[in-house]
Amino acid sequence: MRADFLRPLVIAAGLAGLIPAGVQAQSLPGGGLPPNLAAAAASIANRAGGGTAGAAGTALAAPPGDPGTNRLGSTTEAEAGAMAALPLGEVSRASGRPTAVFGASLFTQSAAASSEAPNPNYVLTPGDRVAVRVWGAVDADQSGMIDPAGNFFLPNVGPIPLAGTRSGDIQSRVEQEVRRLYTQQVQVYATVLSAQRIGVFVTGFVRTPGRFAGSAADSVIDFLVRAGGVDPSRGSFREISILRGGRQAASVDLYRFLLDGRLPALRLQEGDTIVVGRQRALVGATGGVRNNFLFEVPGQIMTGRELIEYARPLPSATNAIIQGTRDGRPFSRYSTLSEFHSQRLGDQDVVTFITDRPMQTVRVTVEGSRVGPSVLVMDRDAQLCNALDYIEVDPTLADTSSIYILRASVAAQQARALAEASDRLERALFLATSPTQGVAAIRSAEAQQISSYLQRARRVVPEGRIVVFSGGRCNSIRLEDNDIIVIPERRETVLVTGEVGATRAVLWRPGITVADLIREAGGLTARGNMNSIMIRRASGEVILDPREAPRAGDEVIALPRIDPRNLQVAQDIMQVLFQAALAARVFVPVN
């Protein structure tokens, strides 16, 4: 094998469509391909999965059960299969089992300092400090605490009952009492200086139990925050007790606060104890839900209806998958949402809400020379030829006989086929044995050269083009979601490239032949051959018969001559070249 034989292996740019059946690399009499190149190209085309939506409507891609379509370790594509949609505002949510306990974020920030001045809704109690000043007919200036009887003593006025008064009403309350004695020329100013300071014990399943100082205006949550919050792995957010004098004064369920904003109407006092109980059973919700958390079961069991109220599944959710443990054995159940309402959930169960219903419509994008809208929403069984009736074009600008489709699933298949062909060729090169050191040195140089080429070939990004027009006729094919229908613009030139003197665009005119185009492009190079000419239509259709009349918008590609003594290696390299051009309309020349 000689290194110089690699140089002529240059495939044409832009083999973007699938070669139509019946003309795939066939040996043509007279002006056709040489038998050796025809055989190699035919083998490559067959292994590359080339095909077309022919006149009889043949499927473009291999059927789902075709050997080699699904491989070990690859993703199996299922049309309209089950999926877990995410909320619109949380597209970056990590997939998998939920790990955050509902309500734990309530204690993620450090405790704020207690305010000296309470809010206007604070109700005064004995021990609170207030200041009152009276001037005019009588002068009085006094600050101090409300006594145990709930009164504040003001000189020249007497005791004023303030316990039970809102902080925001202290001004009017003091004015009312003063004007009972002094009806004229009396001005009053009253304010709350600070609420009563108290100490509260916080214990149970919290991060840092102990005694914490605060204000009588502080809530249970304020003292829980000072204790580091409920321990999310051991403590309960639903069973929090407030003990006073050894008896339970109130019970707190933080879910009522988190969901409805409600807390018990209880003012903490000096010496009170807040006890966080042990964690109850947890049930997780994930998938198509707004709240993907671990929820604490309010009683012994939780029903599916309760979990739905907490997790709030998305409108697209249709089914639920329950996974957990029953009697020490793995447990799993699949149900519709209506059936899930009555399901009983146990500790450590995880419920995944999914969408398991076929889409009724597909969304198709229209690109290229169009006049109307660029997006079509159609029934899921819509055919391309029917869809074209709804696309408005300017017939003088649009080449309606060269329409093609770009499909993501076909692009993935092309990328996989290209990668496998490259890997196969690389293994054959580097694992081949050599009879002598001289032959080994030559093969090593050739292998390095081809390896450099393969690195460029692997960077090719397939476009997933599907040829749907052959012979100017639309071949029926069902549209898939996110398909792109491309309507090329009419062109007046023919691009001549490959093994020619100069790549150039030649003005098309009636009666022009391939030989005329080659001649106007400077003729063939020493490696060119008139028997190795390929014509690619604007639709991606490939013609290997040089006697075919070119059309405006075509590309005429002069392929290189292949040395028959190196047919097997040429066939392997041609496969990579063919698939790269087939997938992405690009040259990947071997230097």
Side-chain angles (χ1 to χ4, degrees):
M1 184 169 57
R2 303 189 312 273
D4 57 354
F5 96 95
L6 296 172
R7 297 187 178 278
L9 294 178
V10 183
I11 196 69
L15 278 174
L18 304 177
I19 297 180
V23 296
Q24 290 181 4
Q26 58 187 335
S27 179
L28 304 173
L33 287 175
N36 55 353
L37 181 57
S43 174
I44 294 165
N46 292 333
R47 285 194 284 172
T52 184
T58 306
L60 289 171
D66 184 62
T69 300
N70 299 325
R71 294 167 174 79
L72 182 63
S74 65
T75 302
T76 299
E77 179 183 358
E79 181 186 6
M83 59 177 294
L86 296 180
L88 294 178
E90 199 175 359
V91 295
S92 60
R93 176 195 297 176
S95 59
R97 298 169 65 92
T99 57
V101 176
F102 182 68
S105 59
L106 190 63
F107 306 109
T108 55
Q109 297 182 356
S110 58
S114 179
S115 174
E116 292 292 331
N119 65 73
N121 293 320
Y122 172 70
V123 179
L124 298 176
T125 61
D128 293 341
R129 291 181 57 82
V130 298
V132 178
R133 183 178 182 184
V134 180
W135 68 95
V138 61
D139 289 333
D141 188 357
Q142 183 73 12
S143 62
M145 291 190 302
I146 300 175
D147 61 27
N151 298 320
F152 176 77
F153 184 81
L154 185 64
N156 300 323
V157 176
I160 300 176
L162 292 181
T165 303
R166 290 176 61 253
S167 175
D169 297 334
I170 187 174
Q171 174 79 18
S172 59
R173 177 65 176 162
V174 173
E175 282 184 353
Q176 179 183 0
E177 294 296 327
V178 171
R179 293 186 188 282
R180 291 174 58 184
L181 300 176
Y182 304 97
T183 58
Q184 296 179 352
Q185 298 180 351
V186 176
Q187 302 295 325
V188 176
Y189 174 76
T191 186
V192 179
L193 297 178
S194 63
Q196 178 185 9
R197 303 298 294 178
I198 60 174
V200 174
F201 296 95
V202 183
T203 186
F205 295 92
V206 293
R207 295 184 185 275
T208 54
R211 183 181 184 276
F212 300 91
S215 166
D218 291 342
S219 67
V220 173
I221 295 178
D222 292 323
F223 282 97
L224 287 173
V225 171
R226 294 186 180 105
V230 177
D231 188 335
S233 61
R234 301 181 300 123
S236 174
F237 288 79
R238 315 208 64 171
E239 189 177 333
I240 301 174
S241 301
I242 301 175
L243 305 181
R244 181 173 296 166
R247 297 182 179 182
Q248 180 170 312
S251 179
V252 179
D253 183 352
L254 289 180
Y255 275 35
R256 300 277 66 82
F257 171 74
L258 292 167
L259 298 174
D260 305 324
R262 293 183 298 177
L263 281 175
L266 177 71
R267 185 188 305 278
L268 293 174
Q269 298 180 4
E270 174 70 28
D272 283 352
T273 301
I274 300 174
V275 182
V276 176
R278 69 179 65 252
Q279 188 180 77
R280 302 179 182 180
L282 289 181
V283 174
T286 185
V289 293
R290 290 181 172 87
N291 301 321
N292 64 321
F293 294 102
L294 295 169
F295 296 95
E296 192 173 351
V297 177
Q300 296 297 323
I301 62 170
M302 176 185 283
T303 64
R305 185 184 303 276
E306 291 175 293
L307 183 62
I308 287 176
E309 293 178 358
Y310 294 140
R312 298 186 62 205
L314 300 177
S316 59
T318 61
N319 296 76
I321 303 173
I322 307 171
Q323 294 176 298
T325 303
R326 299 290 187 274
D327 299 326
R329 298 180 179 179
F331 171 83
S332 181
R333 179 160 296 177
Y334 183 81
S335 64
T336 64
L337 284 192
S338 58
E339 298 170 341
F340 178 71
H341 280 76
S342 59
Q343 294 286 342
R344 297 162 64 93
L345 305 174
D347 187 22
Q348 303 301 309
D349 280 356
V350 175
V351 181
T352 305
F353 293 87
I354 63 173
T355 301
D356 196 2
R357 180 180 298 166
M359 294 179 58
Q360 302 304 310
T361 59
V362 294
R363 180 179 180 272
V364 179
T365 304
V366 183
E367 295 182 357
S369 182
R370 60 176 177 80
V371 177
S374 62
V375 176
L376 298 177
V377 178
M378 312 188 71
D379 293 338
R380 62 190 300 262
D381 60 348
Q383 302 289 316
L384 170 67
C385 300
N386 297 332
L388 295 180
D389 295 336
Y390 298 92
I391 302 176
E392 184 179 0
V393 299
D394 185 342
T396 61
L397 299 177
D399 185 359
T400 55
S401 63
S402 300
I403 295 173
Y404 58 89
I405 292 177
L406 300 181
R407 180 169 293 176
S409 60
V410 174
Q413 291 175 347
Q414 291 174 336
R416 185 170 62 242
L418 178 59
E420 291 175 352
S422 300
D423 292 343
R424 186 164 50 249
L425 175 57
E426 197 167 42
R427 285 195 301 270
L429 288 171
F430 286 99
L431 297 180
T433 59
S434 303
T436 65
Q437 291 185 353
V439 174
I442 295 174
R443 287 186 174 178
S444 176
E446 293 172 350
Q448 294 299 330
Q449 187 177 11
I450 297 177
S451 178
S452 176
Y453 154 75
L454 290 177
Q455 291 179 5
R456 286 179 288 159
R458 287 191 175 98
R459 291 195 292 267
V460 170
V461 179
E463 64 174 1
R465 176 183 293 212
I466 301 176
V467 178
V468 293
F469 271 76
S470 60
R473 178 181 176 183
C474 175
N475 297 302
S476 180
I477 177 175
R478 185 174 64 85
L479 294 172
E480 295 183 4
D481 194 37
N482 295 320
D483 275 355
I484 301 175
I485 300 174
V486 182
I487 306 174
E489 289 191 355
R490 291 187 181 274
R491 299 182 182 275
E492 299 178 349
T493 59
V494 177
L495 179 64
V496 184
T497 185
E499 296 296 334
V500 293
T503 298
R504 59 170 298 187
V506 180
L507 182 64
W508 180 87
R509 53 191 181 273
I512 194 170
T513 65
V514 170
D516 297 333
L517 294 170
I518 295 294
R519 185 167 50 253
E520 294 191 31
L524 296 172
T525 65
R527 295 176 296 189
N529 189 342
M530 281 301 295
N531 294 330
S532 303
I533 300 296
M534 181 173 62
I535 303 173
R536 188 187 58 235
R537 305 294 189 198
S539 64
E541 182 182 3
V542 174
I543 308 296
L544 298 180
D545 186 353
R547 299 172 301 179
E548 183 82 13
R551 304 174 187 171
D554 285 353
E555 293 183 29
V556 175
I557 305 162
L559 298 176
R561 182 185 294 108
I562 299 297
D563 188 345
R565 293 174 297 177
N566 300 293
L567 179 59
Q568 181 58 51
V569 177
Q571 179 175 322
D572 291 340
I573 299 178
M574 284 287 288
Q575 179 173 0
V576 178
L577 294 168
F578 184 89
Q579 290 176 342
L582 177 73
R585 297 176 58 88
V586 295
F587 272 117
V588 188
V590 178
N591 296 325

